Amino acid sequence: MYVRSLPYALIGGLVASGAWWFGGGTSSKSSTSAEKDFAAQYSSSAQQTAAQAIEATRKALVLDQGQLYTADITGDGPVTKEVDDYGRRVLEMVTPDQATTQLRRGEESFLVGRGQGVVRYDVVQLASNDPIEDDHSEKIVEIPKSAQDPSSSSNATRDWMFWGVFDGHSGWTTSAKLRQSLISHVARELNTTYTQNTSTGVLPSPDSIDQAIKRGFLTLDHSIVHASVDAVLKNASKPHAAEALAPALSGSCALLSFYDSTTKTLRVACTGDSRAVLGRRSSSDPSLWTAQALSVDQTGGSPTEAARLRAEHPNEPDVVRVGRVLGGLEPSRAFGDAAYKWSRAVQEKMKKEFFGRTPNPLIKTPPYVTAEPVVTRTAIQPEKGDFVVLATDGLWEMLTNDEVVGLVGEWLRLHPEATAGSSNSAASMGAAAPGDPNSGTDARASTWLSSWFSSQTPQKASDHLPVDTSPSSDSSQEPPQNGHQQSDGQKTPIRQSQWGIPPTTKKNQPPSSSRFTFQDENAATHLIRNALGGKDNDMLCALLTLPSPYSRRYRDDLTVQVVFFGEERQVSQGVAVADEAFSGQKVGRVVPNWGATDGGKGGSAGGNDGKDSQGVKSKL
């Protein structure tokens, strides 16, 4: 998609056709005809005086035959073009400052002073759907050391840390359910696995931990899809059915990461096409970063997933059609989506007695979609400053893995102010001074990565992103063209083709200084700004001006988490809201002995119905 600038003389014709598009109709006139009408109707505008000609200039966003255009307009009156009885109008473009406000509205940044290998995580959300169908959750569960090491007599605690992003579709209710409940379901299964093994003096095997995570996913999905049907049949009330079945009728992908601070192992459980990517210092050049995918996109277009579905449903040639399950659903693994999991008899019963869709005529042997995740394990190196980016597919439609890691790597280099202060002082790490529980918050907020930086001199952005694309690196594989999947299951960003942006590869790497910008204090916000246009303010403002549902043609909901690993020399046993990431909004609160955070739309922080797992000190 090119966001083109047009001279003022053409704005009338484009507004005429664009207005019809915004109103949901179709213009029967060509752009040329519309321009003539505009010229005839407003010919008097050509008689502007010199004073009128130098009036304030603004931009309007219009659409003509599927193309977005911007145009300069003069005057201080509102840009209005009523097109139907509802009074819908052509929209005046948001300004760059308004775009920044919109980008930062959903950002959060937390400093983790618990000495467990995680120093900070940044989160941001940006809606395209109304309401947003994405959701997210972050929690820290404090556990006794003895729960992981039966030979230990220490009372010291360790952390289980969870971060999750949930990409909903056909509604927001399934992703909201995952925010409320998924981490708690997984934590209970993990607790059961650990307590069963430690009672015999043996630590659980890595595979048994992976299986516990999978059970947490599958148990929750069963309650969403099947237990809800049992509950509805026992209470034959349509209002009750509407509430109970909503998470089953919509759907959601889930990407959950679990960091065990004792083993320094990061597990990533992926159901669907959200993605996690690890950024790690290059072994050959520490100034560069390598990008390592920790999950594989699970869609009907994935050869591996398509083969699995065909093996599970033999003699059903349409089980995968045009890269979608039964020709309809793109993710091959998801929560909810009961239309792909209920039997035909259940679907017909729900439709007859309550409500629902007519069953897909291709359904023969459900379920076709599963919530079982693929779990990967990665040894984290906090001392080397690893970081992980978790995001819904809205980000990966716009940026490659290398670009995301390079953008965060360069963002880290350009923030030497984060190292101000002494890392050995109690105040600098946020330790409470006598009588002042919040003492040291600002100092600690400025030293969250003191071991990563030594320079305090402001830096300029490099011409190229600091990504190691040598043949021996994890970032060396060039992405395929035209949105096809490569061997590891990752797809080229489809929006780059749609917008006419050449992908960044080792053979064709445009200067980052011409495309990307570095102006946000929150690393997650930094990523979505550059995904939506970076230095191209016209593209950024155009994409943020489009209202729902039209915006969905050009961008998806965006949810991004960036988790920074590192070692702290002193520990505050608290979590602080990072002041510098809120553009001057000083929050500065420290939560001592903090047990959990919960993002998203609110609700129960624990999502566990008030039942904490025995043996786990859950401060949820």
Side-chain angles (χ1 to χ4, degrees):
M1 176 193 71
Y2 295 96
V3 180
R4 305 175 182 177
S5 297
L6 298 183
Y8 175 69
L10 296 183
I11 183 64
L14 292 176
V15 166
S17 56
W20 281 108
W21 181 82
F22 276 116
T26 56
S27 175
S28 60
K29 300 180 181 180
S30 67
S31 294
T32 303
S33 175
E35 286 181 45
K36 290 178 180 178
D37 288 351
F38 171 78
Q41 184 176 358
Y42 298 102
S43 59
S44 61
S45 65
Q47 309 301 322
Q48 299 177 62
T49 65
Q52 290 173 316
I54 59 173
E55 288 179 318
T57 299
R58 296 170 295 152
K59 287 186 178 291
L61 177 69
V62 293
L63 185 139
D64 179 54
Q65 299 179 357
Q67 294 292 322
L68 287 179
Y69 296 88
T70 65
D72 292 335
I73 56 174
T74 59
D76 57 2
V79 181
T80 63
K81 180 68 178 179
E82 295 193 6
V83 298
D84 59 16
D85 292 338
Y86 298 98
R88 302 177 187 176
R89 306 171 189 273
V90 173
L91 298 179
E92 181 177 350
M93 280 182 65
V94 299
T95 66
D97 286 345
Q98 290 169 333
T100 292
T101 298
Q102 195 171 335
L103 289 173
R104 294 176 178 174
R105 186 175 297 135
E107 71 178 17
E108 296 176 286
S109 190
F110 297 94
L111 309 181
V112 185
R114 299 179 61 82
Q116 305 288 359
V118 176
V119 293
R120 171 171 172 160
Y121 59 88
D122 290 1
V123 185
V124 74
Q125 277 195 303
L126 181 69
S128 181
N129 293 292
D130 185 15
I132 187 171
E133 295 181 347
D134 278 8
D135 223 315
H136 67 95
S137 186
E138 305 83 29
K139 292 180 182 173
I140 300 173
V141 180
E142 184 180 87
I143 63 172
K145 181 79 160 51
S146 58
Q148 294 193 45
D149 184 359
S151 63
S152 174
S153 59
S154 171
N155 291 324
T157 61
R158 291 295 182 266
D159 286 344
W160 288 348
M161 302 185 184
F162 299 89
W163 299 270
V165 295
F166 314 120
D167 183 1
H169 47 263
S170 301
W172 57 269
T173 52
T174 312
S175 60
K177 182 70 173 178
L178 299 186
R179 166 179 49 80
Q180 294 169 347
S181 303
L182 181 58
I183 291 178
S184 295
H185 273 72
V186 170
R188 283 201 294 269
E189 293 294 340
L190 287 169
N191 181 59
T192 299
T193 298
Y194 272 95
T195 53
Q196 287 177 346
N197 282 268
T198 54
S199 63
T200 62
V202 179
L203 288 172
S205 67
D207 287 343
S208 65
I209 297 173
D210 294 350
Q211 290 301 316
I213 295 173
K214 293 180 180 181
R215 284 196 304 273
F217 274 57
L218 292 173
T219 300
L220 177 56
D221 188 58
H222 183 273
S223 71
I224 290 172
V225 176
H226 300 294
S228 60
V229 172
D230 296 337
V232 165
L233 293 176
K234 291 178 182 177
N235 182 1
S237 160
K238 284 193 175 182
H240 177 259
E243 180 179 355
L245 295 179
L249 295 175
S250 60
S252 181
C253 302
L255 181 70
L256 183 68
S257 62
F258 162 52
Y259 179 68
D260 184 336
S261 66
T262 300
T263 62
K264 297 183 180 178
T265 299
L266 180 74
R267 285 175 166 83
V268 173
C270 180
T271 292
D273 58 1
S274 297
R275 191 185 306 171
V277 174
L278 173 72
R280 173 168 287 174
R281 294 282 184 184
S282 169
S283 57
S284 59
D285 184 350
S287 68
L288 301 178
W289 297 84
T290 62
Q292 177 184 345
L294 304 184
S295 63
V296 174
D297 302 348
Q298 300 159 358
T299 68
S302 162
T304 302
E305 287 294 286
R308 177 183 65 81
L309 286 166
R310 292 190 175 101
E312 292 176 355
H313 304 275
N315 304 317
E316 294 187 53
D318 292 321
V319 65
V320 177
R321 191 168 64 178
V322 294
R324 294 173 177 266
V325 180
L326 300 182
L329 184 67
E330 185 172 20
S332 53
R333 302 185 188 224
F335 283 82
D337 287 317
Y340 296 87
K341 297 174 183 178
W342 285 342
S343 67
R344 181 179 294 275
V346 169
Q347 293 192 49
E348 291 174 345
K349 185 177 182 66
M350 291 296 103
K351 181 182 178 183
K352 179 181 178 181
E353 298 190 11
F354 302 102
F355 41 76
R357 304 184 184 98
T358 300
N360 189 319
L362 297 176
I363 287 182
K364 296 179 181 178
T365 58
Y368 294 92
V369 175
T370 179
E372 181 177 352
V374 174
V375 181
T376 63
R377 299 192 294 262
T378 303
I380 294 297
Q381 300 174 349
E383 69 280 3
K384 294 186 178 180
D386 288 353
F387 63 84
V388 170
V389 178
L390 300 98
T392 53
D393 68 331
L395 182 73
W396 310 109
E397 289 178 349
M398 302 175 178
L399 295 172
T400 66
N401 295 356
D402 283 359
E403 288 169 344
V404 166
V405 168
L407 282 166
V408 176
E410 185 71 352
W411 180 90
L412 287 169
R413 190 183 71 83
L414 293 172
H415 283 72
E417 71 275 7
T419 66
S422 170
S423 61
N424 292 318
S425 68
S428 70
M429 299 308 295
D436 183 2
N438 291 329
S439 175
T441 301
D442 289 339
R444 184 167 151 266
S446 67
T447 61
W448 64 279
L449 285 177
S450 58
S451 64
W452 293 12
F453 301 100
S454 58
S455 172
Q456 307 255 340
T457 306
Q459 314 247 353
K460 282 187 170 184
S462 301
D463 285 339
H464 295 285
L465 296 178
V467 179
D468 186 354
T469 55
S470 61
S472 60
S473 75
D474 292 322
S475 302
S476 61
Q477 184 176 20
E478 292 192 35
Q481 302 300 312
N482 302 321
H484 295 134
Q485 287 189 314
Q486 51 193 32
S487 59
D488 65 357
Q490 316 303 333
K491 291 191 295 185
T492 331
I494 61 174
R495 304 296 183 186
Q496 290 190 353
S497 299
Q498 182 182 7
W499 299 346
I501 298 173
T504 299
T505 69
K506 64 180 181 179
K507 292 182 179 178
N508 177 26
Q509 188 176 23
S512 62
S513 57
S514 65
R515 178 180 167 194
F516 300 124
T517 184
F518 299 84
Q519 63 188 80
D520 295 290
E521 299 296 330
N522 181 295
T525 305
H526 164 66
L527 287 176
I528 66 169
R529 180 189 295 275
N530 283 287
L532 294 173
K535 280 191 172 179
D536 188 341
N537 276 326
D538 277 351
M539 177 178 287
L540 174 68
C541 293
L543 289 171
L544 293 180
T545 297
L546 284 170
S548 177
Y550 309 115
S551 59
R552 194 58 186 84
R553 301 186 183 188
Y554 298 97
R555 62 179 180 88
D556 200 352
D557 293 335
L558 286 160
T559 300
V560 180
Q561 296 169 329
V562 185
V563 182
F564 298 99
F565 298 92
E567 293 183 335
E568 292 181 288
R569 300 175 188 175
Q570 290 191 351
V571 181
S572 69
Q573 289 301 317
V575 176
V577 177
D579 298 344
E580 79 276 8
F582 288 96
S583 306
Q585 179 185 0
K586 295 293 182 180
V587 181
R589 60 182 172 88
V590 176
V591 187
N593 298 312
W594 207 47
T597 67
D598 188 34
K601 300 184 179 74
S604 170
N608 61 357
D609 305 321
K611 301 175 183 177
D612 288 338
S613 303
Q614 184 178 4
V616 175
K617 292 184 178 179
S618 173
K619 298 193 176 180
L620 304 180

